[in-house]
Every structure is written in structure tokens, then in C-alpha cells.
Amino acid sequence: MISIDTRAKELSANALRVKMRIAEACAHCRRDPRSVKLVWVSKMHPISDVEAAIQAGATEFGENKVQEAQRKFNTPRPGVTLHVIGPVQSNKWTKAAKIADWIHSVDSLDALKKYQAASYDSKKTLDVLFQVNTSQEATKSGLEMKDVEAFLLSLPPFLNIRYRGLMTIGVNSGNPEDSRKGFAWLRQMRDRMQFRGGIFSQFTELSIGMTDDLEIAIAEGSTLIRVGTAIFGARDYT
Ligand SMILES: *Cc1c(COP(=O)(O)O)cnc(C)c1O
């Protein structure tokens, strides 16, 4: 086992490379790099990596499983923002809302009702993004593109929930260019909803881009980049 200090230095160097990629991508499309937030996706990496990442300056973390997130982020960590980025099963909706600051994967009104109740109980405001299946792959969760606008327009206001934007996962084809169309579609939908104002007046965010497609995501307007592999290394699925 390497020490937390050594691991923190590694993670810091890796994150710096990612931040340089972000800065360069922003320069290409004349965006302010401060308009892009980096979410450190620590899923499947140990708690010691979360500690090391915090030492390396991380403030935004992404986890895709509620139980794992709960295990790693149950102690209060001041200054740390937790993003639940994976699909949440109905029996974990309450737990998810209690531990998360942001949930990126909302795709039903039933989930929102539970998130409202849990957020009210916790005296917090929960920021939510709606996941859209822009790649139209059967294995991916999220709203179907054809349903997104009607679904969003049917939403009621919830006292403890802020509607913040849209999220998608790129096409898993090996060619990041294949994700561009879906990203651009998502951006247009975000713009349309934000223009409506009201409960969508804070609908400013686009959670798109991961290790392999962050440059394209930034060119298409990403405000939240979710990076795992490029910071923490490969995940061991065995
Ligand atoms: C795992 C995961 C990521 C991070 O992916 P990398 O390719 O490792 O950067 C981003 N978003 C979601 C939803 C994930 O599940």
C-alpha cells in the first residue's frame, strides 16, 4: 500500500493533466475554463483514494452507486460536494437524496417526489439533472429524447429541489466524435428550457464528457465533466 501522501501527489498530477486538457479545449472554443467544473469520479476506488483526492484539492466527487457512496461519504466532509451520477433504483431514492448534493440521473416524477420528501426531512435543497439517453442504446438509462420536452414541461415545482440541467453519457463506440450530435441536442434542449424561466430559471448545467470525450463535450457546452479513469486510473471490475 502506498501512503496517502504519495497517492495524493499522483492524483494531483493526473488531475492537473485533466485540467490542462480542459483549459486547452476551452481555449479552442473561447470559453472561460471557470465555466467548466471537474467532478472526480471515485467509483470503485477505495476510501483512501477519496482522502488522497481531498488532500490533492478535490471538492467535487462523483459516485454511481448509492451504497458505495454512502460507505465512502457517510462522515461529514466539509467543503465536499457529492454527485450521484449513476441510475438510482427506487428502493434507494431516499438514501440517495439524503447523501447527495447533486443527482445527475433523474428520469421519473416518482423519483422526484421521493427526493423532495427526503430533502425536506434533511432540511436541504437538492440539485438535480435529468438524464437523457441520447445514444439510444438499450443498455443506457434515462429519458428517451422524444419524451424529454413534454416530461420537463409537466413537472411541478418542488420546494426542496432545484432543476439544474441535463446529463447524458456519450456513445460507447471508441470514437468520441460519435457523441457530438447527442451532446449538441442536449445543449439545445437545455437552452430551450432555460429560456422558459420559472422553475427552469436555474437550468444552466450540462453534465457531459468523461475521460475519452471531454474535449468534444466542452466544445458542445459542457459545464460538468465527470472524470474517473484519467484521474484515478483504470477500475478493477474483477
Ligand atoms: C464511471 C462514470 C464516469 C467516469 O468515466 P471515465 O471514463 O472513467 O472517466 C462518468 N460518468 C458516469 C455516469 C460514470 O458511471
Side-chain angles (χ1 to χ4, degrees):
M1 273 292 277
I2 62 166
S3 74
I4 296 270
D5 282 4
T6 307
R7 185 62 172 149
K9 283 192 188 116
E10 270 174 26
L11 297 182
S12 176
N14 294 347
L16 183 61
R17 274 190 291 274
V18 171
K19 286 174 193 165
M20 282 161 63
R21 283 175 63 190
I22 292 173
E24 194 168 316
C26 283
H28 263 283
C29 54
R30 297 174 192 222
R31 290 188 55 191
D32 182 346
R34 286 169 301 187
S35 67
V36 181
K37 208 174 257 175
L38 175 61
V39 178
W40 299 44
V41 178
S42 48
K43 71 178 186 204
M44 301 192 67
H45 292 283
I47 294 188
S48 57
D49 267 10
V50 172
E51 311 285 356
I54 289 170
Q55 202 171 308
T59 56
E60 311 284 327
F61 284 89
E63 287 285 343
N64 78 328
K65 293 213 172 74
V66 174
Q67 240 153 357
E68 184 180 348
Q70 208 177 15
R71 188 165 53 74
K72 285 150 78 171
F73 292 87
N74 63 349
T75 51
R77 297 181 190 275
V80 165
T81 301
L82 179 62
H83 301 251
V84 166
I85 60 175
V88 182
Q89 292 171 325
S90 56
N91 61 345
K92 305 235 168 63
W93 284 337
T94 300
K95 261 183 203 163
K98 293 210 154 144
I99 55 164
D101 300 290
W102 290 69
I103 297 179
H104 290 223
S105 52
V106 181
D107 62 4
S108 80
L109 180 58
D110 287 342
L112 281 171
K113 288 176 181 166
K114 275 284 194 308
Y115 292 159
Q116 164 57 32
S119 302
Y120 178 85
D121 284 347
S122 308
K123 299 183 171 61
K124 70 193 275 186
T125 305
L126 184 67
D127 288 293
V128 302
L129 304 170
F130 297 93
Q131 182 171 357
V132 181
N133 185 1
T134 55
S135 59
Q136 296 172 299
E137 291 164 77
T139 53
K140 292 213 179 114
S141 51
L143 297 157
E144 297 302 317
M145 292 160 86
K146 64 176 171 46
D147 301 330
V148 173
E149 189 164 21
F151 173 77
L152 293 174
L153 291 176
S154 74
L155 291 174
F158 287 109
L159 197 59
N160 298 74
I161 290 178
R162 278 191 290 253
Y163 299 138
R164 297 306 307 276
L166 299 172
M167 178 272 221
T168 200
I169 299 171
V171 182
N172 188 13
S173 64
N175 180 7
E177 265 304 325
D178 294 342
S179 299
R180 191 184 290 276
K181 260 172 107 171
F183 290 169
W185 185 94
L186 206 71
R187 177 197 196 149
Q188 283 184 11
M189 185 57 68
R190 191 273 321 261
D191 291 347
R192 267 177 45 182
M193 299 312 298
Q194 197 186 354
F195 181 73
R196 288 182 171 268
I199 56 174
F200 296 106
S201 58
Q202 295 179 84
F203 212 70
T204 52
E205 307 302 311
L206 268 185
S207 171
I208 52 176
M210 320 195 327
T211 291
D212 290 333
D213 57 12
L214 70 88
E215 281 83 3
I216 285 162
I218 286 169
E220 299 303 330
S222 177
T223 63
L224 291 161
I225 305 271
R226 313 177 306 265
V227 176
T229 309
I231 297 176
F232 292 100
R235 291 177 289 273
D236 183 1
Y237 285 95
T238 58

Short mmCIF file of all heavy atoms in Angstrom, two decimals, residues 41 43 64 85-86 167 169 209-212 226-230 235 237, ligand 1:
data_model
loop_
_atom_site.label_atom_id
_atom_site.label_comp_id
_atom_site.label_asym_id
_atom_site.label_seq_id
_atom_site.Cartn_x
_atom_site.Cartn_y
_atom_site.Cartn_z
N VAL A 41 -14.56 11.32 -10.39
CA VAL A 41 -15.39 10.12 -10.26
C VAL A 41 -14.59 9.02 -9.56
O VAL A 41 -13.75 8.35 -10.17
CB VAL A 41 -15.91 9.65 -11.64
CG1 VAL A 41 -16.73 8.37 -11.48
CG2 VAL A 41 -16.76 10.75 -12.28
N LYS A 43 -15.69 6.27 -8.12
CA LYS A 43 -16.36 4.97 -8.02
C LYS A 43 -15.36 3.82 -8.19
O LYS A 43 -14.45 3.89 -9.03
CB LYS A 43 -17.46 4.87 -9.07
CG LYS A 43 -16.94 4.75 -10.50
CD LYS A 43 -18.08 4.60 -11.50
CE LYS A 43 -17.52 4.34 -12.87
NZ LYS A 43 -18.44 4.73 -13.95
N ASN A 64 -21.34 6.38 -8.63
CA ASN A 64 -22.52 5.95 -9.39
C ASN A 64 -23.40 4.95 -8.66
O ASN A 64 -24.48 4.64 -9.12
CB ASN A 64 -22.16 5.50 -10.80
CG ASN A 64 -21.56 4.12 -10.83
OD1 ASN A 64 -20.88 3.73 -9.88
ND2 ASN A 64 -21.82 3.38 -11.89
N ILE A 85 -24.09 10.02 -9.85
CA ILE A 85 -24.12 10.12 -11.31
C ILE A 85 -24.71 8.89 -11.98
O ILE A 85 -24.94 8.90 -13.18
CB ILE A 85 -22.70 10.41 -11.88
CG1 ILE A 85 -21.74 9.29 -11.49
CG2 ILE A 85 -22.19 11.76 -11.38
CD1 ILE A 85 -20.36 9.45 -12.12
N GLY A 86 -24.94 7.82 -11.20
CA GLY A 86 -25.46 6.59 -11.80
C GLY A 86 -26.96 6.46 -11.61
O GLY A 86 -27.55 7.19 -10.81
N MET A 167 -28.16 15.72 -18.32
CA MET A 167 -26.97 14.87 -18.31
C MET A 167 -27.11 13.78 -19.37
O MET A 167 -28.22 13.30 -19.63
CB MET A 167 -26.83 14.23 -16.93
CG MET A 167 -25.66 13.27 -16.78
SD MET A 167 -26.02 11.55 -17.24
CE MET A 167 -25.16 10.68 -15.96
N ILE A 169 -24.64 10.34 -21.32
CA ILE A 169 -23.40 9.58 -21.48
C ILE A 169 -23.18 9.41 -22.98
O ILE A 169 -24.13 9.09 -23.71
CB ILE A 169 -23.50 8.20 -20.78
CG1 ILE A 169 -23.73 8.40 -19.28
CG2 ILE A 169 -22.27 7.36 -21.04
CD1 ILE A 169 -24.06 7.12 -18.52
N GLY A 209 -19.37 14.61 -20.90
CA GLY A 209 -17.92 14.48 -21.02
C GLY A 209 -17.33 13.64 -19.91
O GLY A 209 -17.65 13.81 -18.74
N MET A 210 -16.51 12.66 -20.34
CA MET A 210 -15.80 11.79 -19.42
C MET A 210 -14.34 11.74 -19.90
O MET A 210 -13.91 12.59 -20.67
CB MET A 210 -16.44 10.39 -19.39
CG MET A 210 -17.96 10.45 -19.45
SD MET A 210 -18.93 9.00 -19.02
CE MET A 210 -17.99 7.61 -19.52
N THR A 211 -13.59 10.76 -19.45
CA THR A 211 -12.16 10.70 -19.79
C THR A 211 -11.92 10.79 -21.31
O THR A 211 -11.04 11.53 -21.75
CB THR A 211 -11.53 9.40 -19.23
OG1 THR A 211 -11.50 9.49 -17.80
CG2 THR A 211 -10.13 9.19 -19.77
N ASP A 212 -12.71 10.05 -22.08
CA ASP A 212 -12.38 9.94 -23.51
C ASP A 212 -13.01 10.99 -24.41
O ASP A 212 -12.62 11.12 -25.57
CB ASP A 212 -12.79 8.55 -24.03
CG ASP A 212 -11.90 7.46 -23.45
OD1 ASP A 212 -10.74 7.76 -23.11
OD2 ASP A 212 -12.38 6.31 -23.33
N ARG A 226 -17.32 14.69 -15.94
CA ARG A 226 -17.22 13.60 -14.96
C ARG A 226 -16.04 12.70 -15.32
O ARG A 226 -16.13 11.91 -16.25
CB ARG A 226 -18.52 12.77 -14.96
CG ARG A 226 -19.81 13.60 -14.91
CD ARG A 226 -21.03 12.69 -14.99
NE ARG A 226 -21.01 11.81 -16.13
CZ ARG A 226 -21.61 12.05 -17.30
NH1 ARG A 226 -22.30 13.15 -17.48
NH2 ARG A 226 -21.51 11.18 -18.29
N VAL A 227 -14.93 12.82 -14.60
CA VAL A 227 -13.73 12.08 -14.98
C VAL A 227 -13.31 11.08 -13.90
O VAL A 227 -13.09 11.46 -12.75
CB VAL A 227 -12.56 13.04 -15.29
CG1 VAL A 227 -11.29 12.26 -15.58
CG2 VAL A 227 -12.91 13.93 -16.47
N GLY A 228 -13.21 9.83 -14.29
CA GLY A 228 -12.73 8.78 -13.40
C GLY A 228 -11.34 8.31 -13.79
O GLY A 228 -10.34 8.64 -13.15
N THR A 229 -11.28 7.57 -14.89
CA THR A 229 -10.05 6.88 -15.30
C THR A 229 -8.83 7.80 -15.39
O THR A 229 -7.75 7.45 -14.90
CB THR A 229 -10.28 6.18 -16.65
OG1 THR A 229 -11.47 5.39 -16.54
CG2 THR A 229 -9.11 5.29 -17.01
N ALA A 230 -8.98 8.96 -16.00
CA ALA A 230 -7.81 9.83 -16.21
C ALA A 230 -7.25 10.37 -14.89
O ALA A 230 -6.10 10.81 -14.84
CB ALA A 230 -8.16 10.99 -17.15
N ARG A 235 -10.35 1.06 -13.52
CA ARG A 235 -11.13 0.40 -12.46
C ARG A 235 -11.01 -1.10 -12.60
O ARG A 235 -10.98 -1.63 -13.70
CB ARG A 235 -12.60 0.84 -12.53
CG ARG A 235 -12.83 2.29 -12.15
CD ARG A 235 -14.27 2.69 -12.31
NE ARG A 235 -14.69 2.78 -13.70
CZ ARG A 235 -14.56 3.87 -14.46
NH1 ARG A 235 -14.01 4.97 -13.98
NH2 ARG A 235 -14.95 3.86 -15.71
N TYR A 237 -12.75 -4.41 -12.37
CA TYR A 237 -14.11 -4.96 -12.33
C TYR A 237 -14.16 -6.44 -11.97
O TYR A 237 -15.20 -7.04 -11.95
CB TYR A 237 -14.81 -4.74 -13.69
CG TYR A 237 -15.25 -3.31 -13.92
CD1 TYR A 237 -14.45 -2.43 -14.64
CD2 TYR A 237 -16.46 -2.85 -13.41
CE1 TYR A 237 -14.85 -1.11 -14.85
CE2 TYR A 237 -16.87 -1.54 -13.64
CZ TYR A 237 -16.06 -0.68 -14.36
OH TYR A 237 -16.46 0.61 -14.57
C1 LIG B 1 -17.83 5.85 -14.46
C2 LIG B 1 -18.55 7.03 -14.94
C3 LIG B 1 -17.85 8.18 -15.41
C4 LIG B 1 -16.33 8.26 -15.49
O1 LIG B 1 -15.87 7.61 -16.61
P1 LIG B 1 -14.33 7.61 -17.07
O2 LIG B 1 -14.37 7.16 -18.47
O3 LIG B 1 -13.63 6.67 -16.17
O4 LIG B 1 -13.82 9.00 -16.93
C5 LIG B 1 -18.60 9.25 -15.82
N1 LIG B 1 -19.95 9.24 -15.77
C6 LIG B 1 -20.64 8.18 -15.33
C7 LIG B 1 -22.14 8.23 -15.32
C8 LIG B 1 -19.97 7.04 -14.90
O5 LIG B 1 -20.68 5.98 -14.46
#
